[in-house]
Amino acid sequence: MRSEELNDAQREAVAATEGPVLVLAGAGTGKTRVITHRVARLIGNSVPPADVLAVTFTNKAAREMLQRLRGMLGGKKTAGGPTVCTFHRLGLTILREHAERAGRRPNFSIYDPSDSAGVVRDVLAELVAPDGAADPEMLQRVLSAHKNAGNAVEPGDAFFARLLERYEGDLAARNAFDLDDLIRWPVRLLADKDLRRAYHRRYRYILVDEYQDTNQAQYELLRLLVGPARNICVVGDDDQSIYRFRGACRDKILNFKRDFPGAKVVKLEENYRSTNAILQAANAVIARSAKRHAKRLYSRLGEGGRVRCLEYADATAEAEGIVDEIRERRMLGGLKLHDAAILLRSIHQARVFEERLRFRDLPYTLSGGKSWFDRKEVRDTVAYLRLVVNRSDDAAFLRVVNFPRRGVGEKAVAALVRAARERGRGLSEVIESLEDVAGIAAGAKAALAELAGHLAAARNVLEAGRVVEGARLLMERIGYREAAIALYPDRATGELRAKAVEAVLFALKDFVRKEPRGDLAEFLRRMSLDNEAERGEEERREGLNLMTLHSAKGLEFDTVYIPGLEEGILPHEKSIAEDDDEAVEEERRLLYVGMTRARRSLTFSFCASRARRGGEDEPERSRFFADIPPDLLVIGDPMEPDRVLAPDEGLTYFRRLRAARAAQSERSGGGG
């Protein structure tokens, strides 16, 4: 570790190794550098590496942290070293060690939201839902929100209480946890004092990244893991708390000193990303936030250009103007597409930009696209492998029971479900003995018995220690590849999609190579975690970045455009309609996050007219725009791209432009 790499505030944060510490790390101030140097310092001070736990929110952040640590520690492997992982991976570790205490067998499955919604759907078949409350996906989200709110929250509704009880019972019967259980159950288990003390001895130093994003359940888990020495360091920025809709509790970072009396607070305010002109505008926006830890970002990268503001006639003109400007700047050699981003408040704004980008033949990446893990072929392959490991996994069975086609209809499935409930067994176990199961045609019985044989054969190979061979044997014997190819109109497309099976098997082979003691169950659990954690984190391709402001968190670009800086868009109309001050304040923080993604160039845009609900509105500029002093802005004229107006001209520019357009419209109407 070279201390000269750190500024004074960073060195202070790194050196404060004992007791509770809150590091308020403003945007672009090098928080990852602080965390990794802090871990390296602890190890350098003779703290055993295994005593250190660093928790973050995404696999991507954990990988980056581990990579930096390896470089700082001389490239040593982290086996037996510090634990660097996500909250969900931490919870999985605890559950894997104490599954029996949670009423599960060690080969448990992890259900993603789609699987969980399937369980809810099964429960609803036997419960009478109130009007408007029979949507499994919606109810799954309600269940998830309830779990993330913490164990102290009790259902206040009789139907929901019954739903929750039946849902939990079905998960236990299927030997499965859902993703929220990976936090909720460890919190329950750590209520045991002896178990809690064991983890206090294991993790003597705890570091938490992005602390402002913790929800109630994650917060409870951390509080239980912190030992008597209170060696916890949290790093975060309340100004970048934008995930309330996911259950994030900003109060946790605001109240850290109350929760941990005597905590040391260190502010990181030197920004290494943006020019001062951008930071001054961002500071002006966030300074109006009602409740926050006061911070003011500054940079040594120079003043830079002021924030540009453009107004267009409508949304189509806005998209055309921005895309054409990007195209021209690219042609002149001053802009690389992958270093530019258009950041949107809502994904529905993307359509007009996509149309223009396609028309101009500009490559782009739209965030929030379908994950590789969501492809049918991947989910099917994983479901088959889950059945090899966990014969009680009914969600996996129901997904693949009739693909490839086996002639197993709804009546046969219903008969299987009845038999499974009568016997108290999983569906995969029932098909191993179908003689006395009524309601299933002979052909379907033969096909199900054949499936049971394939699963048993794969299980035998697996139990002999040949993990990859067992998985490959199963997929070959069921004839999945040819069935997948036949789904698509042309064989080339089918073969391309069917390669997903090989990709899963290759990933399994790589896992077994790297984790000699790792089994198929652990591989599948990690895949489930990667599926959720990596959503929205796909590698950027060579193309313009078109994404929502939420998905831009943690990224940075030389050039940033934020269109639609208007009332009803940013802040969003829902936050205004709810008359919820905190909802509007989160919109302010969302804009601040977007502004601080820009390194060199930041441009806002507005529309004089915008289509909304079948009509045309004349939107007002965002209230947040009014918080930026005029001398930090440059008002540009999209009709005269080479002309830049002085600040005093800009104060009246929009009014004059709108009046001119209104007069032109009047003349056109009069002549019509």
Side-chain angles (χ1 to χ4, degrees):
M1 180 184 71
R2 299 194 304 274
S3 60
E4 64 269 19
E5 293 178 357
L6 306 173
N7 62 38
D8 290 343
Q10 290 172 336
R11 274 193 289 272
E12 183 183 2
V14 168
T17 56
E18 304 301 313
V21 180
L22 168 61
V23 180
L24 294 167
T29 56
K31 67 180 178 63
T32 304
R33 183 188 309 170
V34 166
I35 294 172
T36 51
H37 275 75
R38 188 181 171 88
V39 173
R41 184 184 182 95
L42 286 168
I43 295 171
N45 288 347
S46 300
V47 172
D51 289 7
V52 180
L53 168 66
V55 186
T56 186
F57 276 83
T58 67
N59 290 319
K60 180 181 177 183
R63 284 195 300 267
E64 180 184 352
M65 212 175 288
L66 273 172
Q67 188 174 1
R68 291 196 190 187
L69 273 172
R70 286 170 183 163
M72 296 172 69
L73 299 173
K76 296 175 184 175
K77 295 283 186 182
T78 55
T83 299
V84 181
C85 63
T86 63
F87 273 100
H88 284 102
R89 187 63 58 83
L90 173 63
L92 174 60
T93 298
I94 296 172
L95 285 177
R96 196 170 54 223
E97 294 171 352
H98 306 286
E100 293 84 356
R101 292 190 185 211
R104 305 296 195 274
R105 298 185 298 282
N107 61 339
F108 60 82
S109 299
I110 298 175
Y111 279 13
D112 67 13
S114 176
D115 294 326
S116 299
V119 178
V120 173
R121 191 175 292 108
D122 292 343
V123 172
L124 286 176
E126 298 184 10
L127 289 181
V128 179
D131 291 343
D135 179 354
E137 283 73 21
M138 181 273 290
L139 288 172
Q140 185 275 325
R141 291 192 292 271
V142 173
L143 286 168
S144 177
H146 169 76
K147 290 186 175 186
N148 286 326
N151 291 325
V153 180
E154 294 296 332
D157 175 83
F159 165 73
F160 182 72
R162 290 197 305 274
L163 175 69
L164 179 62
E165 181 182 8
R166 291 293 302 276
Y167 173 81
E168 292 291 307
D170 271 24
L171 281 181
R174 300 175 188 214
N175 194 34
F177 294 106
D178 66 22
L179 285 166
D180 302 308
D181 287 334
L182 298 185
I183 307 299
R184 191 181 189 218
W185 263 108
V187 169
R188 289 180 173 181
L189 296 176
L190 290 170
D192 182 275
K193 289 183 180 179
D194 291 335
L195 186 62
R196 193 162 66 245
R197 289 192 191 103
Y199 280 98
H200 291 169
R201 290 191 294 271
R202 180 188 298 190
Y203 300 130
R204 291 173 47 228
Y205 292 86
I206 297 176
L207 297 91
V208 187
D209 189 17
E210 303 286 8
Y211 188 65
Q212 77 281 349
D213 292 336
T214 51
N215 62 34
Q216 182 65 30
Q218 292 161 342
Y219 168 78
E220 290 176 10
L221 178 59
L222 288 171
R223 289 292 300 270
L224 290 167
L225 285 171
V226 175
R230 303 190 308 154
N231 291 328
I232 179 171
C233 173
V234 302
V235 183
D237 182 8
D238 49 300
D239 291 337
Q240 296 185 75
S241 178
I242 59 172
Y243 294 121
R244 192 169 71 141
F245 67 95
R246 294 181 185 170
C249 303
R250 190 170 68 109
D251 286 348
K252 303 310 177 193
I253 193 168
L254 293 175
N255 297 331
F256 185 81
K257 290 189 71 175
R258 184 198 68 187
D259 293 337
F260 296 94
K264 182 180 182 63
V265 179
V266 182
K267 294 181 183 180
L268 305 184
E269 297 173 296
E270 183 176 351
N271 177 284
Y272 292 90
R273 175 187 300 154
S274 309
T275 56
N276 271 308
I278 292 170
L279 295 179
Q280 288 167 23
N283 285 334
V285 169
I286 203 62
R288 299 295 297 271
S289 187
K291 280 172 56 181
R292 63 186 289 261
H293 290 292
K295 298 177 291 297
R296 190 166 184 84
L297 299 181
Y298 68 92
S299 171
R300 301 185 191 186
L301 298 177
E303 194 62 23
R306 289 175 289 176
V307 178
R308 291 194 314 148
C309 309
L310 307 175
E311 185 174 47
Y312 295 93
D314 54 33
T316 300
E318 181 181 49
E320 289 178 352
I322 290 174
V323 171
D324 288 352
E325 178 177 287
I326 289 171
R327 178 173 175 267
E328 290 171 14
R329 291 179 61 185
R330 182 196 188 201
M331 290 173 65
L332 292 171
L335 181 146
K336 295 178 180 178
L337 287 181
H338 68 271
D339 263 340
I342 300 173
L343 305 184
L344 313 170
R345 172 57 184 89
S346 302
I347 198 64
H348 70 77
Q349 292 173 264
R351 183 184 60 80
V352 287
F353 285 98
E354 285 197 89
E355 288 174 356
R356 193 63 185 175
L357 286 163
R358 289 172 183 269
F359 176 75
R360 285 298 193 188
D361 199 27
L362 290 178
Y364 67 93
T365 299
L366 177 65
S367 70
K370 193 168 185 179
S371 166
W372 178 79
F373 294 96
D374 284 332
R375 292 184 180 181
K376 170 181 169 53
E377 294 79 14
V378 174
R379 293 181 70 89
D380 286 353
T381 303
V382 169
Y384 271 113
L385 297 182
R386 278 165 48 180
L387 284 176
V388 174
V389 171
N390 180 7
R391 294 156 76 211
S392 301
D393 194 336
D394 288 354
F397 180 88
L398 292 170
R399 177 176 182 86
V400 298
V401 63
N402 210 27
F403 190 84
R405 295 287 180 189
R406 298 187 174 90
V408 180
E410 291 183 10
K411 289 183 179 179
V413 171
L416 281 174
V417 170
R418 284 195 301 271
R421 286 180 178 160
E422 289 168 2
R423 300 177 183 183
R425 303 173 72 187
L427 294 169
S428 179
E429 294 174 281
V430 171
I431 66 171
E432 295 170 6
S433 179
L434 290 166
E435 295 81 5
D436 57 345
V437 179
I440 304 178
K445 276 190 176 181
L448 289 168
E450 183 180 45
L451 173 60
H454 295 332
L455 291 169
R459 211 170 281 128
N460 289 336
V461 176
L462 195 71
E463 290 170 357
R466 305 196 302 275
V467 177
V468 180
E469 186 179 333
R472 184 175 297 281
L473 174 70
L474 174 63
M475 300 312 292
E476 288 176 353
R477 287 186 62 165
I478 64 175
Y480 187 89
R481 183 175 180 276
E482 286 303 318
I485 291 171
L487 281 178
Y488 298 93
D490 64 285
R491 187 170 180 86
T493 300
E495 287 182 343
L496 186 64
R497 293 300 296 259
K499 285 183 178 178
V501 178
E502 280 301 317
V504 174
L505 295 176
F506 179 81
L508 174 60
K509 182 178 180 180
D510 189 54
F511 171 78
V512 171
R513 180 178 61 82
K514 292 178 179 176
E515 306 277 351
R517 288 177 292 180
D519 58 11
L520 181 58
E522 178 63 12
F523 168 76
L524 294 170
R525 286 193 285 261
R526 292 197 187 184
M527 276 202 72
S528 295
L529 290 189
D530 288 345
N531 185 1
E532 287 307 301
E534 299 299 332
R535 289 181 193 275
E537 279 192 13
E538 294 179 11
E539 293 296 322
R540 298 208 310 259
R541 298 189 295 272
E542 284 295 317
L544 179 74
N545 298 278
L546 182 62
M547 59 177 58
T548 62
L549 286 159
H550 282 101
S551 61
K553 176 81 161 52
L555 304 178
E556 57 184 75
F557 310 94
D558 274 351
T559 301
V560 168
Y561 293 84
I562 303 179
L565 195 60
E566 303 156 14
E567 291 289 300
I569 295 182
L570 189 61
H572 196 277
E573 59 186 351
K574 285 185 180 178
S575 67
I576 299 171
E578 289 170 359
D579 195 24
D580 181 346
D581 290 342
E582 176 55 24
V584 173
E585 284 304 296
E586 183 159 281
E587 296 287 303
R588 178 187 298 279
R589 297 193 293 271
L590 191 57
L591 174 59
Y592 173 78
V593 166
M595 295 173 72
T596 53
R597 299 311 95 194
R599 289 192 287 251
R600 299 289 178 267
S601 171
L602 174 61
T603 301
F604 295 142
S605 61
F606 329 89
C607 290
S609 174
R610 190 177 290 274
R612 195 169 290 174
R613 298 187 186 88
E616 292 287 333
D617 284 350
E618 291 189 358
E620 294 297 319
R621 293 198 302 276
S622 170
R623 65 191 71 186
F624 308 140
F625 179 69
D627 296 333
I628 305 175
D631 62 345
L632 297 179
L633 303 170
V634 173
I635 310 300
D637 186 345
M639 295 182 294
E640 300 179 58
D642 294 332
R643 179 178 175 231
V644 174
L645 306 184
D648 55 343
E649 287 184 275
L651 295 175
T652 59
Y653 172 74
F654 290 123
R655 193 178 299 115
R656 288 190 288 104
L657 181 62
R658 184 165 287 166
R661 285 178 178 149
Q664 182 181 4
S665 175
E666 213 172 286
R667 286 195 299 274
S668 299

